[in-house]
């Protein structure tokens, strides 16, 4: 999987953006293994997710990925379905813990978020 996906954001303001796809994938993987304490399975949902990340073509593809919270993708892979049961995340403490987990991950990865405006300092 290529590290980053740089694209013209014709969905919003026409600016060049960078989607840190390998970091996004690492975060999903860490949610599965470290946050949900589940085994990372290479099931159909996981393989489709990887394939989609590898074949991004435009802003619409990135925003499709970003319109769901990362825990949605993690639970989908854990449960091997595109429509996971998200009841596990209904607890406010769990949601707050995931937010802190994400903040720590982003800080460790030296990025503000998985999608940012592109500049030469991003690479």
């Amino acid at each position: 999987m290529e590290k980053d996906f740089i694209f013209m954001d014709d969905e919003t303001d026409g600016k060049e953006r960078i989607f840190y796809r390998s970091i996004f994938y690492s975060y999903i993987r860490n949610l599965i293994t470290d946050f949900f304490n589940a085994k990372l399975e290479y099931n159909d949902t996981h393989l489709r997710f990887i394939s989609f990340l590898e074949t991004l073509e435009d802003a619409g593809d990135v925003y499709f990925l970003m319109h769901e919270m990362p825990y949605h993708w993690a639970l989908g892979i854990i449960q091997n379905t595109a429509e996971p049961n998200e009841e596990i995340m209904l607890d406010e403490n769990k949601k707050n813990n995931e937010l802190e987990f994400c903040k720590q991950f982003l800080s460790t990865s030296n990025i503000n978020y998985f999608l940012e405006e592109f500049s030469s300092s991003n690479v």
Side-chain angles (χ1 to χ4, degrees):
M1 174 182 320
E2 289 185 39
K3 184 176 178 181
D4 303 321
F5 179 65
I6 300 169
F7 63 98
M8 293 304 293
D9 191 350
D10 56 358
E11 297 275 324
T12 59
D13 57 10
K15 293 185 179 181
E16 197 168 33
R17 300 216 185 281
I18 184 167
F19 174 61
Y20 300 107
R21 71 172 129 203
S22 64
I23 296 173
F24 185 73
Y25 176 73
S26 293
Y27 180 63
I28 301 300
R29 192 179 59 226
N30 287 4
L31 274 176
I32 293 167
T33 59
D34 300 341
F35 186 76
F36 290 114
N37 296 312
K39 184 177 178 190
L40 182 64
E41 300 282 347
Y42 287 90
N43 55 38
D44 291 338
T45 302
H46 188 176
L47 295 175
R48 276 193 307 271
F49 182 72
I50 290 171
S51 177
F52 193 77
L53 280 171
E54 290 176 341
T55 59
L56 296 173
E57 293 182 8
D58 56 25
D61 289 348
V62 172
Y63 288 118
F64 170 79
L65 280 172
M66 301 303 293
H67 89 279
E68 294 288 355
M69 296 299 292
Y71 66 77
H72 170 89
W73 297 113
L75 290 173
I77 291 168
I78 291 167
Q79 298 170 17
N80 196 23
T81 180
E83 299 296 327
N85 178 347
E86 296 183 12
E87 287 183 19
I88 191 169
M89 289 302 294
L90 292 177
D91 178 278
E92 283 303 313
N93 287 331
K94 191 76 166 172
K95 286 182 183 180
N96 290 336
N97 290 343
E98 193 264 336
L99 181 60
E100 287 304 313
F101 187 84
C102 184
K103 285 179 184 178
Q104 179 64 37
F105 181 88
L106 293 172
S107 175
T108 301
S109 299
N110 295 316
I111 60 173
N112 293 321
Y113 196 60
F114 304 107
L115 177 64
E116 297 180 342
E117 191 171 321
F118 180 74
S119 70
S120 58
S121 65
N122 294 111
V123 287

